[in-house]
Amino acid sequence: ESASACSANDQTSKADCVHMLVRLIPLAAASESSQQMLDYWRFHGMLVGPAAARRCVKSFDGVILFMPSTYDPAAFQAEDAAQNVSLPFEVRTLTLLKYYALVLWSLTGLCTLLRQTRTLDAAGEDDEKPLLPTPLAVHRNVVECLRARTGASRVTLARRFEFRFRLIGLWVAMHHYRSASGGEGRLHLVEVYQFDRRVCAAWACAIAALAIPQLWRVLLLLGVT
């Protein structure tokens, strides 16, 4: 009886842990599994295991765009997309290797590991919260290109994530768009990012402060000064 009570307590404890973990992100899409939303949240937070990362990478079978917030909407023409011409900032293939290279190179994984990443939004397609004007918004020209590329009758926003990677001053929004054509659908990924110039300037000063003394020593050894 005592053992069964302990087992029941363990199960309750596990359920509480899972419940608290899920509450870390605002799961607004009741129609999709919390595990899938959690996978995407970790994937875009740049700290996820290979199995979940592989599932996420494989799910994006449409257009993939990584764009700065200064992108020009006029550069996105539906006629070009329909003819399979590469769009500005388009990534033709996203692989697991490319993903982890980006995690390391961008330092975003380090940000999350050091708890310097803040989740601003994580919403599914059933979320009725209106999208507020933001520098990271996706212009209708871009959405029209997604529709034209796949010949879809319509394109809808399936999910949206937004993060601030504070250590490197990066603000980024990830938009999942789903295009429907007949009975088939494709999932597109559109990321829009913006850097905080103050953080970038601070990093530049720090790197210069470290590099200049070393450069001076090298010049002394070479007898240049």
Side-chain angles (χ1 to χ4, degrees):
E1 183 178 351
S2 176
S4 62
C6 289
S7 177
N9 289 335
D10 288 344
Q11 293 297 325
T12 302
S13 178
K14 288 180 181 179
D16 289 342
C17 289
V18 171
H19 179 65
M20 290 299 296
L21 183 60
V22 169
R23 287 184 62 188
L24 288 175
I25 56 177
L27 298 180
S31 61
E32 68 178 332
S33 70
S34 59
Q35 183 59 52
Q36 186 179 37
M37 270 301 268
L38 194 59
D39 282 349
Y40 281 122
W41 176 64
R42 289 171 171 167
F43 178 81
H44 291 306
M46 310 303 273
L47 195 64
V48 65
R54 186 178 293 106
R55 288 194 297 270
C56 293
V57 167
K58 188 177 180 180
S59 70
F60 298 116
D61 55 356
V63 177
I64 300 174
L65 301 173
F66 291 93
M67 314 186 297
S69 60
T70 54
Y71 73 92
D72 180 13
F76 289 84
Q77 299 295 324
E79 294 79 7
D80 293 338
Q83 296 175 12
N84 205 30
V85 176
S86 290
L87 298 171
F89 310 107
E90 182 175 1
V91 177
R92 282 292 187 172
T93 57
L94 177 63
T95 65
L96 197 62
L97 182 60
K98 286 183 179 179
Y99 170 76
Y100 279 114
L102 182 62
V103 169
L104 296 174
W105 176 80
S106 66
L107 300 180
T108 48
L110 180 62
C111 283
T112 304
L113 188 64
L114 297 178
R115 298 185 179 182
Q116 291 301 308
T117 299
R118 181 185 174 192
T119 302
L120 302 179
D121 192 18
E125 58 187 334
D126 293 336
D127 183 19
E128 297 180 356
K129 180 176 63 177
L131 293 177
L132 300 176
T134 168
L136 305 184
V138 178
H139 194 273
R140 61 179 178 273
N141 287 7
V142 178
V143 178
E144 180 60 21
C145 284
L146 303 182
R147 188 202 62 75
R149 173 65 65 81
T150 56
S153 56
R154 61 188 177 90
V155 174
T156 57
L157 181 63
R159 304 176 199 88
R160 185 181 185 279
F161 298 86
E162 188 175 336
F163 296 90
R164 279 193 185 274
F165 297 93
R166 291 176 287 190
L167 186 65
I168 58 175
L170 176 63
W171 178 25
V172 57
M174 301 82 170
H175 307 81
H176 295 189
Y177 285 97
R178 192 179 304 281
S179 61
S181 179
E184 297 183 358
R186 289 185 178 273
L187 186 64
H188 312 277
L189 171 62
V190 180
E191 294 198 11
V192 185
Y193 61 86
Q194 184 180 86
F195 280 100
D196 187 330
R197 294 180 180 179
R198 295 169 299 177
V199 176
C200 293
W203 271 102
C205 291
I207 293 172
L210 293 173
I212 289 176
Q214 301 302 323
L215 179 60
W216 183 254
R217 290 177 184 177
V218 172
L219 293 176
L220 288 176
L221 288 175
L222 295 176
V224 175
T225 59

